[in-house]
């Protein structure tokens, strides 16, 4: 059943570039010879290792335990021997401890025991045990999100996938519909809600048709507009409810979960498999054969690129994630994490990098900002190191870092980086 949706007027229209990889069925990669598994691949504290160098592990075995409420377990994604636990760089900057496992080729699996009776508590407990985090990008531990402090009545499943190029969620929706439906019902059970809305942008008509045929779930057919997949805009489009600045979706009775997360929940509860792999879109005009790969967590980016025939000679910019909210990579020497939905390689033409010039006060950034902020003011005050003014006059803390402002800026101002810097400085002052 389709429901009527609301529309937000701001944001931007972008060529979605999805045709590069949307026709590529999910290809399951075999276990790589080695993996490098980050212990911090979620919001909150890094997990604490429970294995030591020299230990032999199975796929699915716990290798690091959540440290506190906002943290997540981490499991081995291949069987083999732990050869190092040491700091390695992260694709979005900084570094963290990683468990390096050399595979033994057997791919032994250690699953979690059958769950028995499915109750709210047992499903949330299994999700926590399996190390499941939001796989749409943020990496918030799912068990925490399923235990809101205020009552909720609606689960929205985010299948918008509004970032250009990315098609991993789309492929899951059309290839793994039954598994997703089971995962979604488990999420609804964990939340104690009956109202389920699966939200999908109009540019995925076959995915919409698949979920439209499912009993007990409504489908929100969303107008194609970036950033439709942002939680606050999705909630407004699906329910008409507005999440005020500084508030959470649960404050308006809603929890949003990504489709990849629902799939991980299905595997953890029904198959006893912790989160040890994910679907990654490898795409961009400089990738020889764009594809959707199901890869083990900790697989090197280089392996994923080579699986797609490598890059063309004019490969110029590498991105972790989508082009709007992703991060430019300094090298390909990183490994896949639970939140990595895509790796893009663009040519100079697509990347269109030009040096920034002075702001011409055209106001276009403010016109498109879906959060009704003043990006040019935030940029101005941040450069002047007046972070309080950037917060109070520009609204820096309400920025969702969608990149719409930078996308339309004729002066190529690095607005998102400026806002990120401002938020970082404000956090430092607070802590
Ligand atoms: S200021 Fe933030 S929320 Fe507004 S358009 Fe720019 S990145 Fe998006
Ligand atoms: S879009 Fe760019 S040039 Fe125009 S006001 Fe915003 S920052 Fe300045």
């Amino acid at each position: 059943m389709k429901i009527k949706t609301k529309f937000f007027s701001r944001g931007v229209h972008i060529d979605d570039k999805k045709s590069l990889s949307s026709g590529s069925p999910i290809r399951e990669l075999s276990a790589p010879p080695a993996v490098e598994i980050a212990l911090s691949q979620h919001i909150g504290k890094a997990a604490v290792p429970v294995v030591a160098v020299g230990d032999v592990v199975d796929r699915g075995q716990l290798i690091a335990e959540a440290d506190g409420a906002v943290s997540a377990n981490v499991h081995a994604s291949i069987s083999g021997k732990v050869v190092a636990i040491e700091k390695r760089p992260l694709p979005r900057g900084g570094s963290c401890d990683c468990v390096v496992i050399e595979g033994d080729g057997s791919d032994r699996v250690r699953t979690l025991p059958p769950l028995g009776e499915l109750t709210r508590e047992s499903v949330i407990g299994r999700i926590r045990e399996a190390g499941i985090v939001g796989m749409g990008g943020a990496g918030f531990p799912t068990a925490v999100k399923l235990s809101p402090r205020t009552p909720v009545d609606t689960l929205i499943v985010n299948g918008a996938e509004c970032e250009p190029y990315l098609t991993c969620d789309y492929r899951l929706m059309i290839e793994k519909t039954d598994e997703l439906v089971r995962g979604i019902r488990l999420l609804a059970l964990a939340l104690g809600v009956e109202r389920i809305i699966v939200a999908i942008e109009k540019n995925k008509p076959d995915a919409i048709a698949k979920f439209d045929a499912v009993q007990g779930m409504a489908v929100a057919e969303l107008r194609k507009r970036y950033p439709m997949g942002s939680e606050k805009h999705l909630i407004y489009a699906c329910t008409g409810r507005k999440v005020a600045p500084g508030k959470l979706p649960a404050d308006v009775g809603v929890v949003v979960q990504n489709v990849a997360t629902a799939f991980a929940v299905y595997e953890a509860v029904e198959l006893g498999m912790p989160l040890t792999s994910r679907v990654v879109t490898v795409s961009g005009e400089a990738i020889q054969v764009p594809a959707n790969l199901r890869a083990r967590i900790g697989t090197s980016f280089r392996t994923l690129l080579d699986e797609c025939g490598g890059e063309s000679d004019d490969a110029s910019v590498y991105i972790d994630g989508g082009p709007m909210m992703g991060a430019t990579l300094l090298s390909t020497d990183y490994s896949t994490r639970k939140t990595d939905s895509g790796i893009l390689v663009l040519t100079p033409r697509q990347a269109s990098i030009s040096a920034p010039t002075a702001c011409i006060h055209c106001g276009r950034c403010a016109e498109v900002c879906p959060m009704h902020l003043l990006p040019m003011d935030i940029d101005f005050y941040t450069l002047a190191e007046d972070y309080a003014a950037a917060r109070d006059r520009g609204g820096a803390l309400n920025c969702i870092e969608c990149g719409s402002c930078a996308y339309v800026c004729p002066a190529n101002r690095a607005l998102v980086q400026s806002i990120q810097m401002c938020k970082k400085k404000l956090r430092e002052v607070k802590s």
Side-chain angles (χ1 to χ4, degrees), residues 37-50 60-77 99 112 124-134 139-144 273-277 297 337-338:
I37 304 175
L39 300 186
S40 179
Q41 43 186 321
H42 46 263
I43 287 177
K45 287 171 90 176
V48 179
V50 294
Q61 182 176 334
L62 185 73
I63 56 170
E65 220 162 32
D67 184 12
V70 185
S71 185
N73 287 345
V74 178
H75 300 80
S77 58
V99 173
L112 299 165
I124 293 177
R126 171 53 55 94
I127 289 169
R128 184 178 295 110
E129 200 179 6
I132 297 174
V133 302
F140 198 83
T142 303
V144 181
M273 177 53 84
L275 180 46
T276 59
S277 66
I297 303 300
R337 294 158 307 148
K338 296 174 183 178

Side-chain angles (χ1 to χ4, degrees), residues 232-251:
K232 290 185 177 181
H233 299 93
L234 197 65
I235 291 167
Y236 177 70
C238 294
T239 66
R241 300 177 194 174
K242 291 183 180 173
V243 183
K247 295 288 181 186
L248 295 169
D251 293 321

Side-chain angles (χ1 to χ4, degrees), residues 217-234:
M217 291 182 195
V219 172
E221 189 176 355
L222 305 166
R223 277 172 76 172
K224 189 174 151 321
R225 185 149 191 111
Y226 181 84
M228 185 53 92
S230 122
E231 275 195 344
K232 290 185 177 181
H233 299 93
L234 197 65

Side-chain angles (χ1 to χ4, degrees), residues 357-366 375-377 379 405 408-413 415:
T357 54
C359 171
I360 57 169
H361 307 288
C362 66
R364 287 172 70 182
C365 54
M376 67 296 217
D377 284 5
D379 184 38
C405 51
V408 298
C409 175
N412 299 308
R413 307 287 311 160
L415 296 168

